[in-house]
Amino acid sequence: MRILFLADVFGTAGRTAVEERLPGLREELGVAFCVVNGENAADGRGITPRLADKLLAAGADVITLGNHVWARDDIGPYLAASERVIRPANVASGSPGRALAVAPATDGTSVAVINLLGSLFLDVASGFFEVVDDLVEEARAQTPLVIVDFHAEATSEKIALARYLDGRVTAVLGTHTHVQTSDARIQPGGTAAITDAGMTGPHDSVIGVEAELAIRRMRTGMPVRFRPAESGVRIEGVVLDCDAEGRATAIEPLRVEHPG
Ligand SMILES: [Fe+2]
């Protein structure tokens, strides 16, 4: 079974690329299941119900989020009702939404998706190691095909979690830094991993934001309103193959230029 994972979809440019290209990509690559990280879909911060519906309509089977999960006011009730748009597990336990989705691939096989936040520089209610075992167990009770989107800043945390889950999940895929790393690999226990799958959005930027604005904020320390950049659009992520037992057999980084 082939699974496509699209890394952080950023702003209008990233969303448009997914809407225009994802149906064709699914077809060309023979993808049976697609996970999209949509945490930067709404102007670079968070996602709205309308945009989540658009990404699902474009071919995402499950949408994962990240540290900007609550950036948009109307997302709480939507997450409370949604079975396919999930939030990180280790935000406050009283918040709406779920952190595990199980959905069918095109051949009917169930695929589980888990979303977690790292600790470094991110606002979390509990550490990811406190919640991950129960979540993985809950997922594996339903299917051996388990994809983890680990939304985190630190390479060390990402590599540690990938090693910790080796043999228990199909893949541990890092997101959040928006820079694709060159360490896609299959670990000894059969779990695929990449430290960061990259960004689906405008790469002529500072991780999605208009470069001049990001630089001005850093140079002056003054508040500067960020705008998503528009050019250098690339779809990034990974293409993953796995067997019926959920063991990864291949992982390839994906980079597709998308001239606007
Ligand atoms: Fe993020």
Short mmCIF file of all heavy atoms in Angstrom, two decimals, residues 149-160 162 172-185 192-198 238 251:
data_model
loop_
_atom_site.label_atom_id
_atom_site.label_comp_id
_atom_site.label_asym_id
_atom_site.label_seq_id
_atom_site.Cartn_x
_atom_site.Cartn_y
_atom_site.Cartn_z
N ASP A 149 2.33 11.88 12.78
CA ASP A 149 2.83 13.21 12.41
C ASP A 149 3.32 13.85 13.70
O ASP A 149 2.53 14.22 14.57
CB ASP A 149 1.72 14.05 11.78
CG ASP A 149 2.16 15.51 11.52
OD1 ASP A 149 3.23 15.93 12.02
OD2 ASP A 149 1.42 16.23 10.83
N PHE A 150 4.65 13.96 13.82
CA PHE A 150 5.26 14.54 15.02
C PHE A 150 5.68 15.97 14.71
O PHE A 150 6.70 16.20 14.04
CB PHE A 150 6.44 13.69 15.46
CG PHE A 150 7.02 14.11 16.79
CD1 PHE A 150 6.24 14.67 17.78
CD2 PHE A 150 8.38 13.93 17.04
CE1 PHE A 150 6.78 15.05 19.00
CE2 PHE A 150 8.93 14.30 18.27
CZ PHE A 150 8.12 14.87 19.24
N HIS A 151 4.88 16.92 15.20
CA HIS A 151 5.06 18.33 14.87
C HIS A 151 6.00 18.95 15.92
O HIS A 151 5.58 19.26 17.03
CB HIS A 151 3.69 19.00 14.89
CG HIS A 151 3.66 20.31 14.17
ND1 HIS A 151 3.63 20.41 12.80
CD2 HIS A 151 3.66 21.59 14.63
CE1 HIS A 151 3.61 21.68 12.46
NE2 HIS A 151 3.63 22.42 13.56
N ALA A 152 7.25 19.13 15.55
CA ALA A 152 8.24 19.48 16.57
C ALA A 152 9.39 20.27 15.97
O ALA A 152 9.70 20.16 14.79
CB ALA A 152 8.77 18.21 17.23
N GLU A 153 10.02 21.04 16.82
CA GLU A 153 11.14 21.90 16.43
C GLU A 153 12.48 21.13 16.44
O GLU A 153 13.32 21.32 15.58
CB GLU A 153 11.22 23.08 17.41
CG GLU A 153 12.24 24.12 17.07
CD GLU A 153 11.78 25.05 15.95
OE1 GLU A 153 10.62 25.46 15.96
OE2 GLU A 153 12.60 25.34 15.08
N ALA A 154 12.67 20.31 17.46
CA ALA A 154 14.00 19.75 17.71
C ALA A 154 14.23 18.43 16.97
O ALA A 154 13.45 17.49 17.08
CB ALA A 154 14.18 19.51 19.22
N THR A 155 15.33 18.39 16.23
CA THR A 155 15.71 17.16 15.53
C THR A 155 15.91 16.02 16.53
O THR A 155 15.57 14.87 16.25
CB THR A 155 16.99 17.37 14.70
OG1 THR A 155 17.99 17.91 15.56
CG2 THR A 155 16.76 18.34 13.57
N SER A 156 16.46 16.35 17.71
CA SER A 156 16.73 15.30 18.70
C SER A 156 15.44 14.62 19.15
O SER A 156 15.37 13.39 19.23
CB SER A 156 17.46 15.89 19.91
OG SER A 156 16.73 16.98 20.44
N GLU A 157 14.40 15.42 19.44
CA GLU A 157 13.12 14.84 19.85
C GLU A 157 12.54 13.97 18.74
O GLU A 157 11.99 12.89 19.00
CB GLU A 157 12.11 15.95 20.19
CG GLU A 157 12.44 16.71 21.47
CD GLU A 157 11.45 17.84 21.75
OE1 GLU A 157 10.63 18.19 20.87
OE2 GLU A 157 11.51 18.38 22.85
N LYS A 158 12.68 14.44 17.51
CA LYS A 158 12.09 13.71 16.38
C LYS A 158 12.79 12.37 16.17
O LYS A 158 12.16 11.34 15.93
CB LYS A 158 12.13 14.57 15.13
CG LYS A 158 11.13 15.72 15.19
CD LYS A 158 11.52 16.81 14.21
CE LYS A 158 10.32 17.55 13.67
NZ LYS A 158 10.73 18.67 12.81
N ILE A 159 14.11 12.38 16.25
CA ILE A 159 14.86 11.14 16.07
C ILE A 159 14.62 10.20 17.24
O ILE A 159 14.45 8.99 17.07
CB ILE A 159 16.36 11.45 15.86
CG1 ILE A 159 16.54 12.17 14.51
CG2 ILE A 159 17.20 10.17 15.91
CD1 ILE A 159 17.90 12.77 14.28
N ALA A 160 14.53 10.76 18.44
CA ALA A 160 14.28 9.92 19.62
C ALA A 160 12.92 9.24 19.53
O ALA A 160 12.79 8.04 19.81
CB ALA A 160 14.36 10.77 20.89
N ALA A 162 11.16 8.61 16.83
CA ALA A 162 11.19 7.63 15.74
C ALA A 162 11.83 6.33 16.22
O ALA A 162 11.33 5.22 15.93
CB ALA A 162 11.95 8.20 14.54
N VAL A 172 7.11 7.54 11.39
CA VAL A 172 7.14 8.75 12.23
C VAL A 172 7.65 9.87 11.34
O VAL A 172 8.83 9.88 10.95
CB VAL A 172 8.05 8.57 13.47
CG1 VAL A 172 8.06 9.85 14.30
CG2 VAL A 172 7.58 7.39 14.32
N LEU A 173 6.75 10.80 11.00
CA LEU A 173 7.07 11.84 10.03
C LEU A 173 7.09 13.18 10.73
O LEU A 173 6.10 13.60 11.33
CB LEU A 173 6.03 11.83 8.90
CG LEU A 173 5.83 10.44 8.25
CD1 LEU A 173 4.69 10.48 7.25
CD2 LEU A 173 7.12 9.96 7.59
N GLY A 174 8.24 13.85 10.67
CA GLY A 174 8.38 15.14 11.34
C GLY A 174 7.78 16.26 10.50
O GLY A 174 7.84 16.24 9.26
N THR A 175 7.19 17.25 11.19
CA THR A 175 6.71 18.47 10.54
C THR A 175 7.08 19.65 11.43
O THR A 175 7.65 19.47 12.50
CB THR A 175 5.18 18.44 10.33
OG1 THR A 175 4.53 18.25 11.58
CG2 THR A 175 4.76 17.31 9.39
N HIS A 176 6.75 20.85 10.95
CA HIS A 176 6.87 22.11 11.69
C HIS A 176 8.03 23.01 11.27
O HIS A 176 7.88 24.23 11.25
CB HIS A 176 6.93 21.92 13.21
CG HIS A 176 7.07 23.19 13.99
ND1 HIS A 176 6.08 24.16 14.03
CD2 HIS A 176 8.08 23.68 14.76
CE1 HIS A 176 6.48 25.17 14.80
NE2 HIS A 176 7.68 24.92 15.25
N THR A 177 9.20 22.46 10.93
CA THR A 177 10.31 23.38 10.61
C THR A 177 10.23 23.93 9.19
O THR A 177 10.86 24.92 8.88
CB THR A 177 11.69 22.70 10.77
OG1 THR A 177 11.88 21.78 9.70
CG2 THR A 177 11.82 22.01 12.11
N HIS A 178 9.45 23.26 8.34
CA HIS A 178 9.23 23.69 6.95
C HIS A 178 10.47 23.48 6.07
O HIS A 178 10.52 23.99 4.95
CB HIS A 178 8.77 25.15 6.86
CG HIS A 178 7.46 25.41 7.53
ND1 HIS A 178 6.81 26.62 7.50
CD2 HIS A 178 6.65 24.61 8.26
CE1 HIS A 178 5.68 26.57 8.17
NE2 HIS A 178 5.57 25.34 8.66
N VAL A 179 11.46 22.77 6.57
CA VAL A 179 12.66 22.49 5.78
C VAL A 179 12.82 20.98 5.70
O VAL A 179 12.99 20.30 6.72
CB VAL A 179 13.91 23.13 6.41
CG1 VAL A 179 15.15 22.78 5.60
CG2 VAL A 179 13.75 24.64 6.51
N GLN A 180 12.78 20.46 4.48
CA GLN A 180 12.85 19.01 4.31
C GLN A 180 14.26 18.50 4.61
O GLN A 180 15.24 19.02 4.09
CB GLN A 180 12.46 18.64 2.88
CG GLN A 180 12.27 17.15 2.67
CD GLN A 180 11.82 16.86 1.25
OE1 GLN A 180 12.63 16.90 0.33
NE2 GLN A 180 10.55 16.57 1.09
N THR A 181 14.34 17.47 5.43
CA THR A 181 15.64 16.92 5.78
C THR A 181 15.98 15.73 4.88
O THR A 181 15.08 15.10 4.30
CB THR A 181 15.64 16.47 7.25
OG1 THR A 181 14.55 15.59 7.47
CG2 THR A 181 15.52 17.67 8.19
N SER A 182 17.27 15.42 4.77
CA SER A 182 17.70 14.37 3.85
C SER A 182 17.98 13.07 4.59
O SER A 182 18.93 12.37 4.30
CB SER A 182 18.94 14.83 3.07
OG SER A 182 20.00 15.07 3.96
N ASP A 183 17.12 12.74 5.58
CA ASP A 183 17.36 11.54 6.38
C ASP A 183 16.19 10.55 6.32
O ASP A 183 16.02 9.77 7.26
CB ASP A 183 17.66 11.93 7.84
CG ASP A 183 16.48 12.63 8.51
OD1 ASP A 183 15.59 13.14 7.80
OD2 ASP A 183 16.42 12.65 9.76
N ALA A 184 15.44 10.56 5.23
CA ALA A 184 14.36 9.57 5.10
C ALA A 184 14.98 8.18 5.16
O ALA A 184 15.98 7.89 4.49
CB ALA A 184 13.62 9.78 3.79
N ARG A 185 14.43 7.32 6.01
CA ARG A 185 15.07 6.02 6.25
C ARG A 185 14.06 5.02 6.78
O ARG A 185 13.02 5.41 7.32
CB ARG A 185 16.20 6.16 7.29
CG ARG A 185 15.64 6.64 8.65
CD ARG A 185 16.69 7.31 9.50
NE ARG A 185 16.17 7.74 10.80
CZ ARG A 185 15.53 8.88 11.00
NH1 ARG A 185 15.30 9.70 10.00
NH2 ARG A 185 15.10 9.21 12.19
N ALA A 192 9.40 3.60 9.15
CA ALA A 192 10.02 4.64 8.33
C ALA A 192 10.04 5.94 9.12
O ALA A 192 9.21 6.16 10.00
CB ALA A 192 9.23 4.85 7.04
N ALA A 193 11.02 6.79 8.80
CA ALA A 193 11.11 8.07 9.50
C ALA A 193 11.78 9.12 8.63
O ALA A 193 12.60 8.79 7.76
CB ALA A 193 11.90 7.92 10.80
N ILE A 194 11.37 10.37 8.86
CA ILE A 194 12.10 11.53 8.32
C ILE A 194 12.00 12.62 9.38
O ILE A 194 10.95 12.76 10.02
CB ILE A 194 11.55 11.99 6.95
CG1 ILE A 194 12.41 13.09 6.34
CG2 ILE A 194 10.10 12.48 7.08
CD1 ILE A 194 12.10 13.39 4.87
N THR A 195 13.08 13.34 9.60
CA THR A 195 13.07 14.37 10.65
C THR A 195 12.11 15.50 10.30
O THR A 195 11.36 15.97 11.16
CB THR A 195 14.48 14.90 10.90
OG1 THR A 195 15.25 13.80 11.43
CG2 THR A 195 14.52 16.04 11.89
N ASP A 196 12.10 15.94 9.06
CA ASP A 196 11.06 16.90 8.65
C ASP A 196 10.73 16.70 7.19
O ASP A 196 11.61 16.61 6.33
CB ASP A 196 11.47 18.34 8.92
CG ASP A 196 10.23 19.22 9.11
OD1 ASP A 196 9.46 19.39 8.12
OD2 ASP A 196 9.99 19.69 10.23
N ALA A 197 9.43 16.62 6.92
CA ALA A 197 8.96 16.34 5.56
C ALA A 197 8.91 17.58 4.69
O ALA A 197 8.70 17.49 3.48
CB ALA A 197 7.58 15.68 5.62
N GLY A 198 9.10 18.78 5.30
CA GLY A 198 9.22 20.00 4.50
C GLY A 198 8.02 20.92 4.57
O GLY A 198 7.34 20.99 5.61
N VAL A 238 6.39 13.12 1.77
CA VAL A 238 7.02 11.83 1.50
C VAL A 238 6.01 10.87 0.87
O VAL A 238 4.81 10.99 1.08
CB VAL A 238 7.61 11.15 2.77
CG1 VAL A 238 8.74 11.96 3.37
CG2 VAL A 238 6.55 10.86 3.80
N ILE A 251 10.56 4.57 1.67
CA ILE A 251 10.18 5.96 1.95
C ILE A 251 11.02 6.86 1.04
O ILE A 251 12.24 6.72 0.99
CB ILE A 251 10.32 6.35 3.44
CG1 ILE A 251 9.96 7.84 3.64
CG2 ILE A 251 11.70 6.05 3.99
CD1 ILE A 251 9.82 8.26 5.10
#
